[in-house]
Amino acid sequence: MSIRLSTDVLIIGSGAAGLTAALSLPATTNVLVMCKGRLGTGSTAWAQGGVAGVLDEVDSVEQHVADTLKAGAGLCDPAAVRYTIERSTSAIHWMIEQGVPFTRVDGSEVKYHLTREGGHSQRRVIHAADATGLAISETLIKKVRQAPNIHILENHVAIDLITTEKLGHDSSQTNRVVGAYVLDSQTEQTVTIGARSTILTSGGASKVYLYTSNPDGATGDGIAMAWRAGCRVVNMEFNQFHPTCLFHPKAKSFLISEAVRGEGGLLKLPNGERFAHKFDDRGELAPRDIVARAIDHEMKRLGVDNLYLDISHKSPDFIKSHFPTIYKRCLEYGFDMTREPLPIVPAAHYTCGGVRINEHGQTDLEGLYAAGECTYTGLHGANRLASNSLLECIVYAQAAAKHIAETEPEQFDAQQLPLWDDSKVSDSDEKVVISHNWDEIRRFMWDYVGIVRTDKRLQRAKRRIHLLKQEITEYYSNFRITADLLELRNLVVVAELIIESALSRKESRGLHFTRNYPELREHPEITVLLPKRD
C-alpha cells in the first residue's frame, strides 16, 4: 500500500542543518521534516566539542580563515571559506537567540567560555560543556515542535528522489527534483511526497567503515540519492578519522572530544611515553589527520590494539567541570579519567566531500538543495578544521532557506506523481544477504581504504565493490524494500565513490595518504565525479 503527501519544502534529515533550515523558512511555508529514527538520533546530538566562530576581540575573520585554509591543505575554496566564516558570528548569535545553553565564563551572564581545538590559533570554539551537539539538537527540536507550519515524519527512510527526468518529461527541459519516495520503516508502507523544493540534510557516510564515531544512520543516503539523480559529487576520498575514540568492546562509537587535547590531554604509548611531537611540532594540537596517522603508525609499529589519552595530571574538579559527559560515560566502562589514561583508537568520523552546492545551498538539479555533512561547499578542502562542521550546517541551511523563500515557487501538481510500485517484487527469504554484505563492505573499506592507502589495496576494494554492487542491485530489483536494504544500497554507492576518488588522487594530501604517492602535487585540484547518464 502506498500513500501520497504534498508540501512546499521537504527536508530529508533532522540534524542541525535540517532543523535550522526548517526554522529559517517563512512561517507561511508548509515544511515537512523527515528523519530515519526519532528526532535527535542523528549525528548532531553526538557532537561534543562545539562551534567555531569569531567571537573574541583578540580573534578575527582573517585568523579563522587562515587556520581553515591551512587545515584544508591547499584544497579549500578560499571564497567559500571566507563566505562561511564571515557569517560565523551571526550564525552563533542565531543559535543563542533560539536558546542554546552555551557554557558561560564563571560568574558572567554575558561572556561565553571559548575553548581551543587542534589547528586553531585562538580560543574560538563556543560550546555547551562537552555535549554541544546535544544542546543544539534539543533546543532546535523544541522550537520545531512548536512551529505550526513544520510537520515531522519520524521513522521514515528516503528511497530515492523523484525527478522530472525519471518521470519521462520532455528531455529538452531542465531536470528538476519534485519530491521523494519514502518508506515508513515501522509499517513498511511507502509514501510518495511531492515538494516544490527539497533539501538534503542527511549527514555523512562514516558508517561505510568498520570503526566509526557516528551513529548507525550515517550511511550516506543523501549523497547516494543525489548521485543517482544526477548531481556531481566532490572530494569523497577525504574521510576524517577522529584520533581518539574510546577503545572498549562495549563502548560503541564513543568519542573522546578533541577538546580534551585542547585542554591539555596528552597522547601516550603503552609505556607512558609521549609521541605526538615526533610527527608534528604542534604535538597533540596538530590537525586530526596528522594525529590520526601518528596513532595509526605507532599502533602498527608496536603491534598493539590501542594507545592512550591522558589528562589525569589536571585536577579532578577541572576534568569533571569541563568534561562531565565524557567523565561519566568513561566511568560506566570502568575508566576514571581523573586518575588514569584512557585507551583510544582512531575511528571514521567525518565525510569532508559530498554533493556539490553553491553559496545558496543549490545542487546541480533545480529544486534540490543540500546542507551539512552530505555536501561539498569548499570549506573543508582536504581536511576539516575542528568545530567548523556545525558552523557549516547553520550557515548553509540558512542560505538555502533564504534562497527558497526569495525564489518564485515552481508550480506542480503532486497528485500527478506516480505512486511507488512494488507489484513485481516479492518478500525475501534470504535477508542474511543484507547483513553479510553490510559487514563485508565495512570491513574491507577499513582494511583497504582507511587511514593509510596503497594502489594495491584500492584495486582490491574496487574489484570487490563492483561485485557487491551487482549483488545488491539484483537483490533490490527482486525483493520488497526494507530500511536495512535501502541503507545497504546507499552504502555500496558511497563506498564506490570513495574508492574511485581515492584512486584518482595521485598524491598524499590532508586526509588522503597513500604509500604509492607520498608527496604533494604542485597544482592540486578537487576530485569531481560526474554521474553516468543513461
Side-chain angles (χ1 to χ4, degrees):
M1 181 179 177
S2 184
I3 63 173
R4 183 184 282 113
L5 299 175
S6 179
T7 186
D8 293 328
V9 180
L10 170 64
I11 300 176
I12 300 176
S14 61
L19 299 177
T20 297
L23 292 169
S24 300
L25 286 162
T28 55
T29 302
N30 186 22
V31 182
L32 182 60
V33 179
M34 54 161 287
C35 53
K36 292 166 74 170
R38 292 174 290 104
L39 280 182
T41 55
S43 293
T44 293
W46 291 43
Q48 297 174 346
V51 188
V54 181
L55 298 166
D56 196 296
E57 58 273 9
V58 302
D59 198 6
S60 67
V61 168
E62 297 302 325
Q63 292 181 75
H64 193 171
V65 166
D67 291 344
T68 301
L69 292 174
K70 186 174 183 179
L75 273 190
C76 294
D77 179 342
V81 172
R82 183 166 295 279
Y83 174 90
T84 308
I85 291 168
E86 284 179 344
R87 289 159 177 75
S88 65
T89 307
S90 61
I92 290 170
H93 283 307
W94 179 82
M95 284 189 282
I96 292 171
E97 291 168 5
Q98 303 310 305
V100 178
F102 291 117
T103 299
R104 299 177 188 269
V105 173
D106 291 342
S108 174
E109 294 184 1
V110 295
K111 191 173 180 63
Y112 290 94
H113 182 268
L114 302 177
T115 191
R116 179 183 172 193
E117 298 182 351
H120 289 275
S121 59
Q122 298 287 349
R123 284 181 172 266
R124 65 166 66 97
V125 180
I126 192 170
H127 61 101
D130 62 345
T132 307
L134 183 62
I136 292 172
S137 181
E138 290 180 343
T139 302
L140 298 187
I141 286 172
K142 183 178 179 181
K143 299 285 282 190
V144 161
R145 289 199 185 280
Q146 294 171 346
N149 67 309
I150 302 174
H151 309 279
I152 310 296
L153 269 184
E154 295 181 298
N155 300 304
H156 281 68
V157 184
I159 302 169
D160 253 330
L161 297 169
I162 305 172
T163 66
T164 54
E165 184 179 86
K166 290 180 182 177
L167 295 176
H169 290 194
D170 187 349
S171 60
S172 65
Q173 296 181 344
T174 302
N175 191 21
R176 181 178 184 85
V177 172
V178 292
Y181 290 116
V182 174
L183 175 71
D184 183 332
S185 58
Q186 294 187 318
T187 66
E188 296 193 348
Q189 185 180 47
T190 54
V191 185
T192 302
I193 304 177
R196 290 188 171 89
S197 299
T198 300
I199 310 177
L200 293 173
T201 57
S202 51
S206 288
K207 203 66 182 180
V208 76
Y209 288 102
L210 182 61
Y211 299 110
T212 175
S213 65
N214 287 199
D216 288 342
T219 49
D221 302 335
I223 299 171
M225 287 191 297
W227 172 258
R228 288 193 293 264
C231 291
R232 286 172 295 174
V233 169
V234 180
N235 280 5
M236 288 300 291
E237 70 269 37
F238 298 117
N239 312 102
Q240 189 174 70
F241 289 81
H242 197 286
T244 54
C245 281
L246 187 67
F247 182 76
H248 187 279
K250 295 183 179 179
K252 183 180 180 182
S253 307
F254 184 61
L255 181 110
I256 306 300
S257 170
E258 182 115 12
V260 173
R261 284 182 285 126
E263 295 296 341
L266 304 175
L267 292 168
K268 294 182 177 180
L269 301 176
N271 65 2
E273 177 187 348
R274 292 179 63 189
F275 62 90
H277 62 281
K278 298 178 182 178
F279 296 85
D280 192 282
D281 291 341
R282 291 165 289 186
E284 282 81 4
L285 291 178
R288 289 176 178 173
D289 60 321
I290 295 173
V291 177
R293 280 201 301 273
I295 295 171
D296 183 71
H297 178 275
E298 291 299 302
M299 286 172 55
K300 288 175 179 173
R301 181 178 70 86
L302 297 172
V304 295
D305 293 329
N306 66 279
L307 297 182
Y308 295 88
L309 177 61
D310 189 4
I311 197 171
S312 62
H313 51 279
K314 293 280 190 176
S315 73
D317 288 343
F318 176 90
I319 294 170
K320 292 175 185 178
S321 64
H322 279 71
F323 310 110
T325 306
I326 298 174
Y327 171 73
K328 292 175 183 176
R329 284 292 300 275
C330 288
L331 277 182
E332 293 174 9
Y333 297 115
F335 304 113
D336 185 347
M337 64 188 293
T338 67
R339 295 173 175 268
E340 61 188 335
L342 298 175
I344 52 91
V345 66
H349 182 59
Y350 192 86
T351 307
C352 285
V355 182
R356 186 165 198 164
I357 61 170
N358 64 14
E359 69 272 19
H360 305 301
Q362 292 174 291
T363 70
D364 293 331
L365 299 181
E366 292 289 333
L368 181 64
Y369 297 76
E373 193 178 350
C374 66
T375 69
Y376 165 82
T377 64
L379 175 64
H380 304 312
N383 189 13
R384 175 179 69 95
L385 184 65
S387 292
N388 267 355
S389 51
L390 285 171
L391 172 64
E392 184 184 45
C393 286
I394 307 301
V395 168
Y396 285 90
Q398 290 180 334
K402 182 175 185 292
H403 192 269
I404 290 170
E406 294 175 349
T407 302
E408 187 71 24
E410 183 82 8
Q411 297 302 314
F412 82 107
D413 183 3
Q415 296 301 317
Q416 298 300 313
L417 298 182
L419 295 173
W420 181 258
D421 182 10
D422 61 359
S423 61
K424 297 180 181 179
V425 297
S426 61
D427 291 323
S428 172
D429 59 356
E430 48 183 22
K431 291 183 180 180
V432 68
V433 171
I434 296 177
S435 60
H436 280 192
N437 285 352
W438 179 289
D439 184 64
E440 184 174 353
I441 290 172
R442 297 181 66 215
R443 284 185 181 277
F444 76 66
M445 287 296 290
W446 181 262
D447 291 337
Y448 300 151
V449 201
I451 296 173
V452 177
R453 299 162 178 173
T454 67
D455 280 354
K456 190 174 183 179
R457 293 174 186 173
L458 293 173
Q459 289 294 347
R460 284 177 183 157
K462 182 177 180 177
R463 288 193 294 271
R464 192 65 196 115
I465 204 68
H466 285 174
L467 290 173
L468 280 173
K469 190 175 181 181
Q470 291 174 8
E471 291 177 14
I472 293 165
T473 300
E474 181 181 358
Y475 189 98
Y476 176 82
S477 301
N478 288 290
F479 298 114
R480 285 194 176 88
I481 54 174
T482 64
D484 286 344
L485 175 57
L486 293 175
E487 288 187 330
L488 176 64
R489 180 180 180 234
N490 292 329
L491 207 67
V492 75
V493 170
V494 170
E496 184 175 44
L497 293 172
I498 293 172
I499 294 165
E500 292 293 345
S501 298
L503 278 167
S504 69
R505 184 161 296 281
K506 306 300 184 184
E507 63 168 349
S508 289
R509 183 178 298 273
L511 301 168
H512 173 74
F513 184 82
T514 169
R515 295 196 185 280
N516 293 96
Y517 307 97
E519 304 299 326
L520 293 171
R521 296 185 68 175
E522 186 176 355
H523 302 293
E525 296 181 351
I526 60 174
T527 303
V528 182
L529 299 182
L530 303 172
K532 296 176 181 176
R533 312 304 297 165
D534 292 333

